[in-house]
Amino acid sequence: MQNIEHFRPTKAIINLDAIKNNVSNLKKHLHPGVQIMAVVKANAYGHGDVEVASAAIESGATMLAVATPEEAIRLRKSFPDIDILILGYAPGAFAPFAANENITLTVYSTDWVQQVEALSFSKPLKLHIKIDTGMGRIGVTQIEDLQKLYNMITSSEKFLVDGVFTHFATADEEEETYFHHQVAKFEEFIRSLPEKPRLVHAANTATMLIKDPTLQYDAVRFGISMYGLAPSAYVNTKLPFPIEPAFSLETELIEVKKVQAGQSIGYGAAFTASEPSYIGTIPIGYADGLIRKYSGQHVLIDGIRVPIIGRICMDQCMLLLPAAYNIGKKVTLIGKQKDEEITIDEWAEKGDTINYEVPCIITSRVPRIYYKK
Ligand SMILES: Cc1ncc(COP(=O)(O)O)c(C=O)c1O
């Protein structure tokens, strides 16, 4: 029997071969022994965490990075042996569970360590210390705080300092000063440690692709490039090798009607036909992540660009068709048809946002269908 989620024609197609090629190409630029941490937080940027993680591991990733305890737990079920690092906050109460499941946590607060020290552990808890060198998000900002934290962790048998890392705020921009300031601060902090932990890491995609491809330390954290997207328009103009987008979004026409000049379409009657027109309806709306701001964005039918008109509804939206297409006609929202392509970057521009956000907000109502040769 067909899986019930797949009755609706709206689906995201995830090209796992593209993910594998992107990781393999990135790997070619790494020094020997440098580990690839595949950043698969937020359901692998909306692409599907387990499947993307498998593809990345097959192509050379040796670690997984996520943002939350729940994401780590989900992945641990499918990957019993691989190192998993939670890059963000994990409540102290999660620490014994993390230790038991060999999930590595990020630490930046002595209060947190004190609270966790009081709990009982079946195994030592692996920790990566986060240094805030200029992102202003999480991490220690003073050398004395780093040393205090380090000493507190290393003096307890409950903990193991496995790594130390930072995150760059401007690696995807042309301006260099801020980036170099962060690197200098990071290195000063690392030098202040009595012993270098196993894994020092800092580079994200933009650092590796353009900013300083040699700044690899012991591991690099690849997110957006693995999915075939550039971290910014600036990086896109400087890519050292092509990357292949992995995410397409498709549906079908479910209704086609002819309207007369003057007839209006959708909530608020926001679109009015200026001449006799064919209007098509597609079953995707803001509850699928097609936010109302995307009204006016083009989609593809038969390789022709067709605009979304009127207000996007919760579950559907309407298109101004160039011809009376049949119901069931394929509509590509993201991806290629014939010689035309509509990219995630184009949607991001329409939504006044960045490409990272576009697949992330395609909701779980849209099934991810995995493609590989
Ligand atoms: C701490 C951290 N490291 C690495 C990454 C991956 O960055 P990118 O997707 O630009 O490669 C992210 C993404 O947001 C992050 O928050």
Side-chain angles (χ1 to χ4, degrees), residues 304-372:
I304 298 168
R305 286 177 163 264
V306 173
I308 297 174
I309 47 143
R311 292 186 191 155
I312 294 174
C313 311
M314 186 183 288
D315 318 298
Q316 301 168 81
C317 63
M318 281 68 88
L319 308 174
L320 181 60
L321 302 177
Y325 289 116
N326 290 333
I327 288 173
K329 186 85 183 163
K330 180 171 165 179
V331 177
T332 298
L333 295 100
I334 296 170
K336 288 185 188 155
Q337 271 194 12
K338 298 186 176 167
D339 294 334
E340 272 291 349
E341 180 174 10
I342 295 186
T343 62
I344 286 188
D345 289 304
E346 186 177 329
W347 282 87
E349 202 172 324
K350 187 78 196 165
D352 278 333
T353 183
I354 53 170
N355 53 14
Y356 292 68
E357 193 174 335
V358 175
C360 273
I361 66 165
I362 300 297
T363 63
S364 58
R365 198 167 79 171
V366 178
R368 272 61 171 173
I369 311 291
Y370 296 94
Y371 164 86
K372 64 178 168 185

Side-chain angles (χ1 to χ4, degrees), residues 59-334:
S59 310
T62 48
M63 298 180 68
L64 303 174
V66 294
T68 70
E70 288 72 12
E71 290 174 350
I73 293 167
R74 234 183 86 80
L75 285 166
R76 179 52 82 227
K77 291 195 178 114
S78 300
F79 305 97
D81 299 321
I82 197 151
D83 279 335
I84 301 178
L85 169 64
I86 299 181
L87 297 166
Y89 168 75
F94 177 66
F97 187 86
N100 203 39
E101 294 291 323
N102 190 27
I103 292 169
T104 308
L105 302 186
T106 292
V107 61
Y108 46 89
S109 140
T110 47
D111 287 351
W112 186 91
V113 174
Q114 252 162 7
Q115 182 205 335
V116 169
E117 243 270 288
L119 306 173
S120 44
F121 286 83
S122 57
K123 297 179 201 161
L125 174 68
K126 282 205 259 172
L127 296 171
H128 283 211
I129 300 176
K130 181 77 186 276
I131 300 174
D132 178 8
T133 54
M135 180 71 183
R137 196 165 59 178
I138 54 172
V140 289
T141 53
Q142 306 299 323
I143 282 199
E144 307 76 65
D145 294 341
L146 172 65
Q147 288 170 340
K148 204 169 150 199
L149 186 63
Y150 183 87
N151 291 338
M152 201 181 240
I153 297 169
T154 49
S155 61
S156 165
E157 287 186 351
K158 292 186 174 166
F159 305 119
L160 183 82
V161 186
D162 182 53
V164 56
F165 72 110
T166 195
H167 189 53
F168 296 121
T170 62
D172 61 348
E173 291 173 15
E174 189 166 7
E175 207 282 325
E176 306 243 318
T177 319
Y178 199 86
F179 174 80
H180 290 306
H181 173 78
Q182 282 200 261
V183 174
K185 185 166 177 184
F186 186 52
E187 298 201 339
E188 187 194 350
F189 274 50
I190 303 285
R191 276 195 304 274
S192 80
L193 292 176
E195 209 177 318
K196 186 187 92 60
R198 184 179 71 101
L199 293 174
V200 174
H201 51 107
N204 56 357
T205 290
T207 310
M208 269 304 302
L209 291 188
I210 61 144
K211 209 51 159 194
D212 185 353
T214 65
L215 200 78
Q216 302 176 8
Y217 299 109
D218 303 305
V220 294
R221 305 190 301 268
F222 282 140
I224 200 78
S225 50
M226 190 166 64
Y227 307 103
L229 302 171
S232 67
Y234 172 67
V235 176
N236 209 15
T237 63
K238 306 256 168 212
L239 290 177
F241 52 87
I243 48 176
E244 194 185 338
F247 191 101
S248 350
L249 186 61
E250 294 176 358
T251 189
E252 290 173 7
L253 289 174
I254 53 155
E255 165 87 327
V256 174
K257 54 168 65 78
K258 187 161 188 192
V259 299
Q260 299 309 318
Q263 201 168 326
S264 293
I265 302 295
Y267 285 119
F271 172 88
T272 302
S274 57
E275 56 185 349
S277 310
Y278 291 103
I279 303 296
T281 303
I282 50 174
I284 180 166
Y286 60 77
D288 300 294
L290 214 75
I291 52 172
R292 284 164 47 124
K293 207 162 188 178
Y294 290 146
S295 179
Q297 170 61 42
H298 287 141
V299 301
L300 295 174
I301 302 180
D302 267 352
I304 298 168
R305 286 177 163 264
V306 173
I308 297 174
I309 47 143
R311 292 186 191 155
I312 294 174
C313 311
M314 186 183 288
D315 318 298
Q316 301 168 81
C317 63
M318 281 68 88
L319 308 174
L320 181 60
L321 302 177
Y325 289 116
N326 290 333
I327 288 173
K329 186 85 183 163
K330 180 171 165 179
V331 177
T332 298
L333 295 100
I334 296 170

